Amino acid sequence: MSEGNGHGRIPVEIIDLEFPRIVELPQPAVRARRPLWPALLLFLLTVLSTLAVGAEFAQSYAQNREPFSGDENPFAMVAVAFEHPSVLALGIPFSFTLMLVLLAHELGHYFAGKYYKIDVSYPYFIPAPTLFGTFGAFIRIRSPITTRRALFDVGLAGPVVGFIIAVPAMAWAIAVSKVVPGVQENAAILFGTPPLMRLLMELFHPGVNPDWVLLHPVGRAAWVGLFATALNLLPAWQLDGGHIVYSLASRYHRRISLGVGLSLVALGLFSWPGWALWGMILLLLSLRFQHPPLLDRWEPLDPSRRAWAVAALVIFLLCFTPWPAMTP
């Protein structure tokens, strides 16, 4: 181990720490412009599916009842909107609010990626026959993310921008919502109330039982936005929260991801079963696919970004609810 000068060989790890290697970051390849029409088609189909669901939210609000109540098949009332297209106009408040929140989230990722010259796709929406008319939206990242700072900013931008849009929408909706005693007694599906909603209900309807607040359709859309924000900020795998954790502590990312997956499985056994399913999915993905490594892993995050990581945790806690949906 001696180098002949009276000192032992300097460990490679110390050399790396004190004298970081100069990394040649690859220049993004010039790619042919991809067609916009698939993204536009999916966007329009998702608008249509959310309009149909939004029509039910609007009619139930006008009739002073919880959505999807009074019918054994929740989707039967949604089908009426397609049988009578004029009814779709009733779904505009819900549909346009939800699309705005989801689009803001994805554009946050998109423009952060463009800022760092990362090859990202257009936002793709997913129309689906669900209680909200969509499975959300996503963008594809086609080139490596080179630095911790870029990974952190791309991961954080989506949830923060979507949250900024969802909060005023939820605040306005709760302010104009109706107070209907016993409104949930005949409900087929009950939606959870995240902490942010409880704070706003106490602000605009002090002393009122939260179960009596019949939420305006705009609030229903904002609720979906908050739920999507909480899902994306889970600190696991390659979710937005997982990207943030990897940029902060890449060494512990996989262990944290597995811990989050196990925690969700345990939570699902005592609350909403969907958490157990989501936890198992995250466990399988975390075991099968590791987070892509950064090309420059030596760049530290500055104090302001660490402060934003704390802000992301606060946003997650405000949006998360153990019981997103349940049957009475």
Side-chain angles (χ1 to χ4, degrees):
M1 295 295 291
S2 175
E3 295 293 328
N5 57 1
H7 300 282
R9 181 178 299 170
I10 301 175
V12 174
E13 291 79 4
I14 296 179
I15 295 176
D16 284 345
L17 179 62
E18 296 183 353
F19 306 100
R21 300 172 185 172
I22 299 175
V23 180
E24 293 293 336
L25 302 180
Q27 297 298 318
V30 178
R31 296 177 180 268
R33 183 178 295 274
R34 292 176 172 83
L36 180 60
W37 69 264
L40 287 176
L41 178 60
L42 288 172
F43 178 86
L44 293 174
L45 290 175
T46 307
V47 169
L48 185 62
S49 61
T50 53
L51 281 173
V53 175
E56 165 56 20
F57 284 125
Q59 292 179 93
S60 63
Y61 183 75
Q63 298 167 7
N64 292 337
R65 60 176 177 84
E66 285 288 329
F68 309 109
S69 58
D71 195 294
E72 295 181 358
N73 181 5
F75 297 101
M77 290 171 282
V78 176
V80 173
F82 290 105
E83 296 173 0
H84 306 279
S86 60
V87 177
L88 290 175
L90 298 175
I92 288 177
F94 172 84
S95 174
F96 286 18
T97 303
L98 178 56
M99 296 298 289
L100 178 61
V101 173
L102 295 178
L103 182 62
H105 182 117
E106 298 307 324
L107 288 181
H109 292 314
Y110 180 83
F111 286 113
K114 288 298 183 181
Y115 176 81
Y116 286 103
K117 296 180 172 57
I118 298 169
D119 184 18
V120 293
S121 72
Y122 300 116
Y124 292 102
F125 285 79
I126 309 174
T130 65
L131 295 179
F132 305 112
T134 179
F135 279 133
F138 68 95
I139 63 170
R140 291 183 58 198
I141 298 178
R142 302 190 182 98
S143 61
I145 299 179
T146 56
T147 66
R148 293 181 184 273
R149 184 177 302 175
L151 179 63
F152 182 89
D153 290 355
V154 171
L156 181 73
V160 168
V161 176
F163 182 76
I164 289 173
I165 300 298
V167 169
M170 179 63 79
W172 179 86
I174 290 178
V176 302
S177 291
K178 303 176 183 178
V179 176
V180 183
V183 68
Q184 295 186 355
E185 292 179 359
N186 298 318
I189 300 172
L190 298 177
F191 298 100
T193 308
L196 177 64
M197 281 185 63
R198 292 191 177 274
L199 291 173
L200 292 173
M201 286 180 179
E202 185 61 30
L203 175 64
F204 293 108
H205 302 284
V208 173
N209 186 339
D211 294 341
W212 293 359
V213 177
L214 182 60
L215 197 59
H216 189 278
V218 168
R220 300 288 180 187
W223 185 96
V224 180
L226 297 180
F227 181 61
T229 298
L231 284 180
N232 279 283
L233 281 177
L234 286 169
W237 193 55
Q238 296 185 47
L239 300 173
D240 296 338
H243 291 324
I244 293 172
V245 168
Y246 193 89
S247 65
L248 289 167
S250 56
R251 181 182 303 179
Y252 303 104
H253 173 267
R254 194 180 192 196
R255 277 176 276 183
I256 293 173
S257 296
L258 294 174
V260 170
L262 290 172
S263 299
L264 289 177
V265 171
L267 179 62
L269 298 177
F270 300 99
S271 61
W272 183 53
W275 287 130
L277 175 61
W278 191 235
M280 287 187 288
I281 292 174
L282 288 178
L283 283 173
L284 291 174
L285 292 174
S286 299
L287 289 170
R288 178 64 180 85
F289 303 101
Q290 295 191 25
H291 194 288
L294 298 170
L295 298 182
D296 179 6
R297 59 186 176 88
W298 294 274
E299 177 199 45
L301 289 183
D302 54 88
S304 65
R305 283 180 171 79
R306 293 181 180 274
W308 270 109
V310 176
L313 176 60
V314 173
I315 292 173
F316 170 76
L317 294 175
L318 288 173
C319 297
F320 183 82
T321 175
W323 301 90
M326 68 188 83
T327 55

